[in-house]
Amino acid sequence: MTRIAFVIDPLDSLGIKKDSTLAMMWAAQRRGWEVFTLQTSELSWQVGETFISARPTALADSPDNLAASSDTPFQVGDTIRQSASTFDMVFMRKDPPFDMNYINTTYLLEQAEEAGVLVVNKPSSLRDCNEKFFTTVFPDLLPPQIVASRISELSAFHTECQDVVYKPLDGMGGKGIFRVKRDDPNLNVILETLTQNETTAIVGQQFIPEIRDGDKRILLIDGEAVPFSLARIPKAGETRGNLAAGGSGVAQPLTDRDREIAEAVAPELIRSGLVFTGIDVIGDWLTEVNVTCPTCIRELDRACGLDIASDLLDCLEAKLA
């Protein structure tokens, strides 16, 4: 029997209505796989091998049914400490922040990978492929962009572009994102704050007006794009489309340009062992490559009659075989 472990945030912190990891767990459970959950603190290394202290975990019903009920969503067993090599797959599904704890977790997972466990996504690539900076591998797909910590360089970029979105390299969910228009008197204080007085590099991107039509999340399974995107449309008065920032999601078929971008990034994703990813596209431009904990499975499944988690597990079963 296939055994799969999910490294996650605490179970009671998962959003029952929309969490993508729950879709993966349910898909594995339907196949009769043994499903376990753990947190990053429950990985360890001793005497040449990585150990996992995890709990057998079952969903009481499908995630969508759970979201509509008040029943207890999980059935959780006792914690069992066992060698990572007893598992077939481990999913790293902990949300950022991408801090030293996250990095140390990838070291432990890399040791599990060395023991023959299929780790999704590849631990070394989780470290190397910063979600904001990884876009620089594809300069022809980007809007005008800068990565810097010096305020003089970031300010000069604003003078050139006039309307710029600045954001931290390690953020998520729309946190710490600022749009700075022409003649904005807050430019310097925003840059001082984001760069922590020129000690931390940040990203600046020319503002893309097509954000009004949505920040499109396109999911890829081993480089193959799901045929629909979720356009996350900003709420009134906002420039951030993130669902966590109040945006609303609208499913829509991929455009020709969406497919062109997905096909351009796919070879690098495959080479890097990034099996499940989400790219963000605004207008005709690539803006981010999400590798740590891509979401939007549930929204696309409901809107388009898909079963993305099962497609993902099909892919992983083939890799195991």
Side-chain angles (χ1 to χ4, degrees):
M1 180 183 295
T2 301
R3 307 177 85 236
I4 183 170
F6 292 88
V7 184
I8 58 173
D9 291 301
L11 278 171
D12 60 7
S13 72
L14 302 185
I16 298 297
K17 292 184 178 180
K18 64 175 186 171
D19 190 89
S20 291
T21 305
L22 296 182
M24 298 177 191
M25 292 171 61
W26 181 247
Q29 186 174 317
R30 291 201 315 270
R31 292 169 185 242
W33 294 5
E34 287 189 89
V35 177
F36 292 77
T37 57
L38 67 148
Q39 296 177 45
T40 57
S41 61
E42 293 171 307
L43 286 159
S44 60
W45 183 92
Q46 188 176 3
V47 198
E49 63 180 319
T50 296
F51 288 88
I52 289 177
S53 297
R55 289 157 293 286
T57 305
L59 295 177
D61 203 340
S62 76
D64 287 337
N65 288 344
L66 288 172
S69 74
S70 58
D71 296 334
T72 301
F74 306 108
Q75 299 167 351
V76 183
D78 295 331
T79 300
I80 307 168
R81 185 175 186 264
Q82 50 205 309
S83 170
S85 63
T86 65
F87 290 89
D88 299 287
M89 303 179 200
V90 175
F91 266 89
M92 178 54 165
R93 290 290 299 175
K94 186 195 179 303
D95 279 333
F98 191 86
D99 52 16
M100 281 308 302
N101 176 58
Y102 199 106
I103 290 173
N104 290 336
T105 300
T106 67
Y107 293 141
L108 290 163
L109 291 174
E110 199 166 24
Q111 291 291 327
E113 186 181 50
E114 288 290 326
V117 182
L118 177 58
V119 181
V120 182
N121 281 312
K122 188 174 180 64
S124 60
S125 292
L126 288 176
R127 289 197 303 273
D128 294 345
C129 301
N130 176 279
E131 298 189 324
K132 308 292 192 299
F133 193 79
F134 191 34
T135 59
T136 62
V137 177
F138 316 102
D140 294 342
L141 304 178
L142 303 184
Q145 179 169 307
I146 185 173
V147 178
S149 54
R150 294 180 60 185
I151 290 175
S152 60
E153 294 179 63
L154 294 162
S155 182
F157 181 76
H158 181 265
T159 300
E160 176 186 345
C161 295
Q162 300 292 303
D163 195 350
V164 176
V165 172
Y166 293 103
K167 52 189 174 181
L169 280 169
D170 57 356
M172 65 163 287
K175 295 178 181 178
I177 294 179
F178 292 86
R179 178 185 176 186
V180 185
K181 299 180 182 180
R182 181 178 181 178
D183 298 325
D184 191 321
N186 296 306
L187 173 62
N188 281 342
V189 69
I190 289 170
L191 295 180
E192 288 168 5
T193 301
L194 287 178
T195 65
Q196 300 178 49
N197 293 314
E198 299 188 315
T199 62
T200 301
I202 65 170
V203 179
Q205 283 178 343
Q206 185 174 51
F207 176 71
I208 306 170
E210 288 84 358
I211 185 63
R212 63 179 176 271
D213 301 319
D215 179 357
K216 292 179 284 187
R217 168 60 55 82
I218 301 170
L219 297 176
L220 294 95
I221 298 173
D222 210 23
E224 184 73 24
V226 172
F228 295 86
S229 71
L230 191 73
R232 296 160 297 170
I233 299 172
K235 65 181 180 181
E238 264 284 3
T239 57
R240 299 173 299 170
N242 308 75
L243 300 182
S248 58
V250 177
Q252 55 190 35
L254 299 188
T255 66
D256 289 343
R257 177 58 173 168
D258 294 338
R259 293 183 183 279
E260 182 182 348
I261 292 173
E263 290 168 3
V265 303
E268 183 64 23
L269 299 178
I270 294 169
R271 187 193 69 79
S272 300
L274 295 167
V275 178
F276 184 59
T277 56
I279 61 173
D280 293 345
V281 173
I282 302 175
D284 289 335
W285 305 106
L286 175 69
T287 59
E288 290 188 21
V289 180
N290 293 268
V291 304
T292 53
C293 197
T295 60
C296 298
I297 285 179
R298 304 270 298 283
E299 294 88 345
L300 286 170
D301 279 356
R302 282 193 293 265
C304 306
L306 304 175
D307 189 353
I308 296 169
S310 287
D311 293 340
L312 173 59
L313 296 191
D314 285 343
C315 171
L316 296 175
E317 269 195 309
K319 289 182 179 295
L320 284 179

PDB file of all heavy atoms in Angstrom, residues 122 125 128-129 134-138 220 222-223 261-275 277 289 291:
ATOM      1  N   LYS A 122      10.896  19.073  -5.045  1.00  0.00           N
ATOM      2  CA  LYS A 122      12.273  18.708  -4.741  1.00  0.00           C
ATOM      3  C   LYS A 122      12.854  19.682  -3.714  1.00  0.00           C
ATOM      4  O   LYS A 122      12.830  20.906  -3.927  1.00  0.00           O
ATOM      5  CB  LYS A 122      13.099  18.722  -6.023  1.00  0.00           C
ATOM      6  CG  LYS A 122      14.509  18.168  -5.861  1.00  0.00           C
ATOM      7  CD  LYS A 122      15.203  18.083  -7.209  1.00  0.00           C
ATOM      8  CE  LYS A 122      16.623  17.527  -7.064  1.00  0.00           C
ATOM      9  NZ  LYS A 122      16.605  16.136  -6.565  1.00  0.00           N
ATOM     10  N   SER A 125      15.305  22.465  -4.773  1.00  0.00           N
ATOM     11  CA  SER A 125      14.687  23.497  -5.606  1.00  0.00           C
ATOM     12  C   SER A 125      13.767  24.401  -4.795  1.00  0.00           C
ATOM     13  O   SER A 125      13.600  25.579  -5.121  1.00  0.00           O
ATOM     14  CB  SER A 125      13.917  22.853  -6.767  1.00  0.00           C
ATOM     15  OG  SER A 125      14.821  22.238  -7.671  1.00  0.00           O
ATOM     16  N   ASP A 128      16.275  26.852  -3.740  1.00  0.00           N
ATOM     17  CA  ASP A 128      16.936  27.637  -4.782  1.00  0.00           C
ATOM     18  C   ASP A 128      15.991  28.540  -5.568  1.00  0.00           C
ATOM     19  O   ASP A 128      16.409  29.572  -6.098  1.00  0.00           O
ATOM     20  CB  ASP A 128      17.655  26.706  -5.773  1.00  0.00           C
ATOM     21  CG  ASP A 128      18.819  25.966  -5.138  1.00  0.00           C
ATOM     22  OD1 ASP A 128      19.252  26.362  -4.039  1.00  0.00           O
ATOM     23  OD2 ASP A 128      19.286  24.982  -5.741  1.00  0.00           O
ATOM     24  N   CYS A 129      14.723  28.140  -5.664  1.00  0.00           N
ATOM     25  CA  CYS A 129      13.803  28.815  -6.587  1.00  0.00           C
ATOM     26  C   CYS A 129      12.869  29.754  -5.832  1.00  0.00           C
ATOM     27  O   CYS A 129      11.678  29.462  -5.650  1.00  0.00           O
ATOM     28  CB  CYS A 129      13.016  27.781  -7.391  1.00  0.00           C
ATOM     29  SG  CYS A 129      14.067  26.667  -8.354  1.00  0.00           S
ATOM     30  N   PHE A 134      12.724  33.739  -8.947  1.00  0.00           N
ATOM     31  CA  PHE A 134      12.821  32.677  -9.948  1.00  0.00           C
ATOM     32  C   PHE A 134      12.340  33.148 -11.315  1.00  0.00           C
ATOM     33  O   PHE A 134      12.746  32.625 -12.355  1.00  0.00           O
ATOM     34  CB  PHE A 134      12.020  31.465  -9.470  1.00  0.00           C
ATOM     35  CG  PHE A 134      12.235  30.204 -10.265  1.00  0.00           C
ATOM     36  CD1 PHE A 134      13.473  29.894 -10.821  1.00  0.00           C
ATOM     37  CD2 PHE A 134      11.198  29.305 -10.451  1.00  0.00           C
ATOM     38  CE1 PHE A 134      13.667  28.730 -11.548  1.00  0.00           C
ATOM     39  CE2 PHE A 134      11.374  28.136 -11.173  1.00  0.00           C
ATOM     40  CZ  PHE A 134      12.612  27.848 -11.722  1.00  0.00           C
ATOM     41  N   THR A 135      11.487  34.168 -11.331  1.00  0.00           N
ATOM     42  CA  THR A 135      11.016  34.698 -12.613  1.00  0.00           C
ATOM     43  C   THR A 135      12.159  35.252 -13.455  1.00  0.00           C
ATOM     44  O   THR A 135      12.043  35.316 -14.687  1.00  0.00           O
ATOM     45  CB  THR A 135       9.980  35.815 -12.390  1.00  0.00           C
ATOM     46  OG1 THR A 135      10.577  36.863 -11.619  1.00  0.00           O
ATOM     47  CG2 THR A 135       8.749  35.291 -11.677  1.00  0.00           C
ATOM     48  N   THR A 136      13.255  35.644 -12.827  1.00  0.00           N
ATOM     49  CA  THR A 136      14.367  36.250 -13.569  1.00  0.00           C
ATOM     50  C   THR A 136      15.034  35.253 -14.516  1.00  0.00           C
ATOM     51  O   THR A 136      15.813  35.655 -15.386  1.00  0.00           O
ATOM     52  CB  THR A 136      15.415  36.833 -12.618  1.00  0.00           C
ATOM     53  OG1 THR A 136      15.973  35.777 -11.803  1.00  0.00           O
ATOM     54  CG2 THR A 136      14.807  37.886 -11.702  1.00  0.00           C
ATOM     55  N   VAL A 137      14.728  33.959 -14.346  1.00  0.00           N
ATOM     56  CA  VAL A 137      15.230  32.954 -15.286  1.00  0.00           C
ATOM     57  C   VAL A 137      14.580  33.137 -16.659  1.00  0.00           C
ATOM     58  O   VAL A 137      15.101  32.679 -17.671  1.00  0.00           O
ATOM     59  CB  VAL A 137      14.959  31.532 -14.734  1.00  0.00           C
ATOM     60  CG1 VAL A 137      15.390  30.451 -15.721  1.00  0.00           C
ATOM     61  CG2 VAL A 137      15.677  31.338 -13.394  1.00  0.00           C
ATOM     62  N   PHE A 138      13.453  33.856 -16.687  1.00  0.00           N
ATOM     63  CA  PHE A 138      12.677  34.025 -17.918  1.00  0.00           C
ATOM     64  C   PHE A 138      12.505  35.520 -18.232  1.00  0.00           C
ATOM     65  O   PHE A 138      11.379  36.037 -18.262  1.00  0.00           O
ATOM     66  CB  PHE A 138      11.303  33.371 -17.752  1.00  0.00           C
ATOM     67  CG  PHE A 138      11.346  32.014 -17.102  1.00  0.00           C
ATOM     68  CD1 PHE A 138      11.009  31.862 -15.760  1.00  0.00           C
ATOM     69  CD2 PHE A 138      11.742  30.899 -17.817  1.00  0.00           C
ATOM     70  CE1 PHE A 138      11.048  30.620 -15.159  1.00  0.00           C
ATOM     71  CE2 PHE A 138      11.790  29.642 -17.227  1.00  0.00           C
ATOM     72  CZ  PHE A 138      11.449  29.500 -15.883  1.00  0.00           C
ATOM     73  N   LEU A 220       0.482  23.912 -12.871  1.00  0.00           N
ATOM     74  CA  LEU A 220       1.186  22.993 -13.760  1.00  0.00           C
ATOM     75  C   LEU A 220       1.544  21.722 -13.002  1.00  0.00           C
ATOM     76  O   LEU A 220       2.044  21.784 -11.866  1.00  0.00           O
ATOM     77  CB  LEU A 220       2.462  23.623 -14.324  1.00  0.00           C
ATOM     78  CG  LEU A 220       2.284  24.825 -15.264  1.00  0.00           C
ATOM     79  CD1 LEU A 220       2.398  26.126 -14.492  1.00  0.00           C
ATOM     80  CD2 LEU A 220       3.321  24.804 -16.373  1.00  0.00           C
ATOM     81  N   ASP A 222       3.968  18.653 -13.404  1.00  0.00           N
ATOM     82  CA  ASP A 222       5.144  18.183 -14.145  1.00  0.00           C
ATOM     83  C   ASP A 222       5.280  18.910 -15.479  1.00  0.00           C
ATOM     84  O   ASP A 222       5.543  18.309 -16.524  1.00  0.00           O
ATOM     85  CB  ASP A 222       5.063  16.671 -14.361  1.00  0.00           C
ATOM     86  CG  ASP A 222       6.447  16.025 -14.430  1.00  0.00           C
ATOM     87  OD1 ASP A 222       7.409  16.618 -13.899  1.00  0.00           O
ATOM     88  OD2 ASP A 222       6.569  14.929 -15.006  1.00  0.00           O
ATOM     89  N   GLY A 223       5.062  20.233 -15.439  1.00  0.00           N
ATOM     90  CA  GLY A 223       5.227  21.076 -16.617  1.00  0.00           C
ATOM     91  C   GLY A 223       4.011  21.171 -17.520  1.00  0.00           C
ATOM     92  O   GLY A 223       4.009  21.958 -18.466  1.00  0.00           O
ATOM     93  N   ILE A 261       3.341  31.161 -22.227  1.00  0.00           N
ATOM     94  CA  ILE A 261       4.154  31.373 -21.028  1.00  0.00           C
ATOM     95  C   ILE A 261       4.373  30.042 -20.303  1.00  0.00           C
ATOM     96  O   ILE A 261       5.501  29.719 -19.890  1.00  0.00           O
ATOM     97  CB  ILE A 261       3.475  32.400 -20.101  1.00  0.00           C
ATOM     98  CG1 ILE A 261       3.496  33.783 -20.754  1.00  0.00           C
ATOM     99  CG2 ILE A 261       4.163  32.444 -18.739  1.00  0.00           C
ATOM    100  CD1 ILE A 261       2.694  34.834 -20.003  1.00  0.00           C
ATOM    101  N   ALA A 262       3.294  29.260 -20.140  1.00  0.00           N
ATOM    102  CA  ALA A 262       3.418  27.977 -19.448  1.00  0.00           C
ATOM    103  C   ALA A 262       4.396  27.046 -20.163  1.00  0.00           C
ATOM    104  O   ALA A 262       5.224  26.378 -19.527  1.00  0.00           O
ATOM    105  CB  ALA A 262       2.044  27.315 -19.332  1.00  0.00           C
ATOM    106  N   GLU A 263       4.322  27.009 -21.475  1.00  0.00           N
ATOM    107  CA  GLU A 263       5.229  26.145 -22.242  1.00  0.00           C
ATOM    108  C   GLU A 263       6.668  26.630 -22.163  1.00  0.00           C
ATOM    109  O   GLU A 263       7.601  25.817 -22.215  1.00  0.00           O
ATOM    110  CB  GLU A 263       4.763  26.074 -23.692  1.00  0.00           C
ATOM    111  CG  GLU A 263       3.463  25.293 -23.873  1.00  0.00           C
ATOM    112  CD  GLU A 263       2.845  25.462 -25.248  1.00  0.00           C
ATOM    113  OE1 GLU A 263       3.465  26.151 -26.102  1.00  0.00           O
ATOM    114  OE2 GLU A 263       1.743  24.912 -25.475  1.00  0.00           O
ATOM    115  N   ALA A 264       6.864  27.944 -22.015  1.00  0.00           N
ATOM    116  CA  ALA A 264       8.219  28.484 -21.931  1.00  0.00           C
ATOM    117  C   ALA A 264       8.882  28.149 -20.599  1.00  0.00           C
ATOM    118  O   ALA A 264      10.097  27.911 -20.547  1.00  0.00           O
ATOM    119  CB  ALA A 264       8.185  30.002 -22.136  1.00  0.00           C
ATOM    120  N   VAL A 265       8.101  28.126 -19.508  1.00  0.00           N
ATOM    121  CA  VAL A 265       8.700  27.861 -18.195  1.00  0.00           C
ATOM    122  C   VAL A 265       8.770  26.369 -17.889  1.00  0.00           C
ATOM    123  O   VAL A 265       9.564  25.942 -17.044  1.00  0.00           O
ATOM    124  CB  VAL A 265       7.933  28.587 -17.067  1.00  0.00           C
ATOM    125  CG1 VAL A 265       7.885  30.081 -17.321  1.00  0.00           C
ATOM    126  CG2 VAL A 265       6.525  28.036 -16.877  1.00  0.00           C
ATOM    127  N   ALA A 266       7.980  25.552 -18.574  1.00  0.00           N
ATOM    128  CA  ALA A 266       7.863  24.129 -18.242  1.00  0.00           C
ATOM    129  C   ALA A 266       9.192  23.380 -18.233  1.00  0.00           C
ATOM    130  O   ALA A 266       9.462  22.626 -17.287  1.00  0.00           O
ATOM    131  CB  ALA A 266       6.879  23.450 -19.198  1.00  0.00           C
ATOM    132  N   PRO A 267      10.066  23.535 -19.234  1.00  0.00           N
ATOM    133  CA  PRO A 267      11.307  22.758 -19.206  1.00  0.00           C
ATOM    134  C   PRO A 267      12.157  23.021 -17.968  1.00  0.00           C
ATOM    135  O   PRO A 267      12.763  22.094 -17.415  1.00  0.00           O
ATOM    136  CB  PRO A 267      12.028  23.209 -20.488  1.00  0.00           C
ATOM    137  CG  PRO A 267      10.927  23.655 -21.395  1.00  0.00           C
ATOM    138  CD  PRO A 267       9.922  24.293 -20.494  1.00  0.00           C
ATOM    139  N   GLU A 268      12.207  24.271 -17.515  1.00  0.00           N
ATOM    140  CA  GLU A 268      12.995  24.588 -16.326  1.00  0.00           C
ATOM    141  C   GLU A 268      12.351  24.014 -15.072  1.00  0.00           C
ATOM    142  O   GLU A 268      13.041  23.557 -14.161  1.00  0.00           O
ATOM    143  CB  GLU A 268      13.153  26.108 -16.188  1.00  0.00           C
ATOM    144  CG  GLU A 268      14.017  26.552 -15.029  1.00  0.00           C
ATOM    145  CD  GLU A 268      15.463  26.097 -15.160  1.00  0.00           C
ATOM    146  OE1 GLU A 268      15.929  25.832 -16.282  1.00  0.00           O
ATOM    147  OE2 GLU A 268      16.145  25.993 -14.109  1.00  0.00           O
ATOM    148  N   LEU A 269      11.023  24.019 -15.012  1.00  0.00           N
ATOM    149  CA  LEU A 269      10.338  23.423 -13.868  1.00  0.00           C
ATOM    150  C   LEU A 269      10.631  21.925 -13.796  1.00  0.00           C
ATOM    151  O   LEU A 269      10.921  21.383 -12.721  1.00  0.00           O
ATOM    152  CB  LEU A 269       8.824  23.648 -13.979  1.00  0.00           C
ATOM    153  CG  LEU A 269       8.334  25.095 -13.994  1.00  0.00           C
ATOM    154  CD1 LEU A 269       6.816  25.128 -14.148  1.00  0.00           C
ATOM    155  CD2 LEU A 269       8.758  25.839 -12.738  1.00  0.00           C
ATOM    156  N   ILE A 270      10.561  21.248 -14.936  1.00  0.00           N
ATOM    157  CA  ILE A 270      10.828  19.806 -14.974  1.00  0.00           C
ATOM    158  C   ILE A 270      12.275  19.531 -14.580  1.00  0.00           C
ATOM    159  O   ILE A 270      12.563  18.630 -13.780  1.00  0.00           O
ATOM    160  CB  ILE A 270      10.514  19.249 -16.367  1.00  0.00           C
ATOM    161  CG1 ILE A 270       9.013  19.350 -16.652  1.00  0.00           C
ATOM    162  CG2 ILE A 270      10.981  17.805 -16.495  1.00  0.00           C
ATOM    163  CD1 ILE A 270       8.629  19.062 -18.097  1.00  0.00           C
ATOM    164  N   ARG A 271      13.194  20.316 -15.132  1.00  0.00           N
ATOM    165  CA  ARG A 271      14.613  20.123 -14.822  1.00  0.00           C
ATOM    166  C   ARG A 271      14.880  20.283 -13.334  1.00  0.00           C
ATOM    167  O   ARG A 271      15.737  19.594 -12.754  1.00  0.00           O
ATOM    168  CB  ARG A 271      15.461  21.130 -15.607  1.00  0.00           C
ATOM    169  CG  ARG A 271      16.961  20.916 -15.488  1.00  0.00           C
ATOM    170  CD  ARG A 271      17.755  22.102 -15.998  1.00  0.00           C
ATOM    171  NE  ARG A 271      17.587  23.258 -15.127  1.00  0.00           N
ATOM    172  CZ  ARG A 271      18.233  23.418 -13.958  1.00  0.00           C
ATOM    173  NH1 ARG A 271      19.063  22.479 -13.535  1.00  0.00           N
ATOM    174  NH2 ARG A 271      18.042  24.490 -13.241  1.00  0.00           N
ATOM    175  N   SER A 272      14.134  21.162 -12.693  1.00  0.00           N
ATOM    176  CA  SER A 272      14.341  21.463 -11.277  1.00  0.00           C
ATOM    177  C   SER A 272      13.577  20.527 -10.346  1.00  0.00           C
ATOM    178  O   SER A 272      13.646  20.684  -9.124  1.00  0.00           O
ATOM    179  CB  SER A 272      13.921  22.916 -10.994  1.00  0.00           C
ATOM    180  OG  SER A 272      14.686  23.824 -11.761  1.00  0.00           O
ATOM    181  N   GLY A 273      12.824  19.576 -10.893  1.00  0.00           N
ATOM    182  CA  GLY A 273      12.075  18.659 -10.049  1.00  0.00           C
ATOM    183  C   GLY A 273      10.898  19.307  -9.354  1.00  0.00           C
ATOM    184  O   GLY A 273      10.469  18.862  -8.284  1.00  0.00           O
ATOM    185  N   LEU A 274      10.339  20.350  -9.984  1.00  0.00           N
ATOM    186  CA  LEU A 274       9.188  21.058  -9.426  1.00  0.00           C
ATOM    187  C   LEU A 274       7.928  20.475 -10.063  1.00  0.00           C
ATOM    188  O   LEU A 274       7.463  20.929 -11.101  1.00  0.00           O
ATOM    189  CB  LEU A 274       9.319  22.558  -9.697  1.00  0.00           C
ATOM    190  CG  LEU A 274      10.510  23.220  -8.983  1.00  0.00           C
ATOM    191  CD1 LEU A 274      10.767  24.615  -9.533  1.00  0.00           C
ATOM    192  CD2 LEU A 274      10.278  23.268  -7.477  1.00  0.00           C
ATOM    193  N   VAL A 275       7.377  19.453  -9.411  1.00  0.00           N
ATOM    194  CA  VAL A 275       6.290  18.681 -10.005  1.00  0.00           C
ATOM    195  C   VAL A 275       4.974  19.439  -9.968  1.00  0.00           C
ATOM    196  O   VAL A 275       4.185  19.379 -10.917  1.00  0.00           O
ATOM    197  CB  VAL A 275       6.145  17.328  -9.276  1.00  0.00           C
ATOM    198  CG1 VAL A 275       4.976  16.526  -9.857  1.00  0.00           C
ATOM    199  CG2 VAL A 275       7.433  16.519  -9.381  1.00  0.00           C
ATOM    200  N   THR A 277       3.396  23.187  -9.436  1.00  0.00           N
ATOM    201  CA  THR A 277       3.714  24.610  -9.344  1.00  0.00           C
ATOM    202  C   THR A 277       2.515  25.447  -9.777  1.00  0.00           C
ATOM    203  O   THR A 277       1.576  24.943 -10.394  1.00  0.00           O
ATOM    204  CB  THR A 277       4.918  24.969 -10.246  1.00  0.00           C
ATOM    205  OG1 THR A 277       4.608  24.562 -11.597  1.00  0.00           O
ATOM    206  CG2 THR A 277       6.186  24.278  -9.781  1.00  0.00           C
ATOM    207  N   VAL A 289       6.449  32.679  -9.814  1.00  0.00           N
ATOM    208  CA  VAL A 289       6.411  31.224  -9.975  1.00  0.00           C
ATOM    209  C   VAL A 289       6.302  30.635  -8.573  1.00  0.00           C
ATOM    210  O   VAL A 289       7.245  30.704  -7.784  1.00  0.00           O
ATOM    211  CB  VAL A 289       7.673  30.692 -10.681  1.00  0.00           C
ATOM    212  CG1 VAL A 289       7.588  29.175 -10.828  1.00  0.00           C
ATOM    213  CG2 VAL A 289       7.866  31.349 -12.046  1.00  0.00           C
ATOM    214  N   VAL A 291       6.250  27.798  -5.926  1.00  0.00           N
ATOM    215  CA  VAL A 291       6.786  26.443  -5.805  1.00  0.00           C
ATOM    216  C   VAL A 291       6.572  25.849  -4.424  1.00  0.00           C
ATOM    217  O   VAL A 291       6.650  24.629  -4.252  1.00  0.00           O
ATOM    218  CB  VAL A 291       8.296  26.406  -6.149  1.00  0.00           C
ATOM    219  CG1 VAL A 291       8.547  26.969  -7.542  1.00  0.00           C
ATOM    220  CG2 VAL A 291       9.135  27.157  -5.120  1.00  0.00           C
TER     221      VAL A 291
END
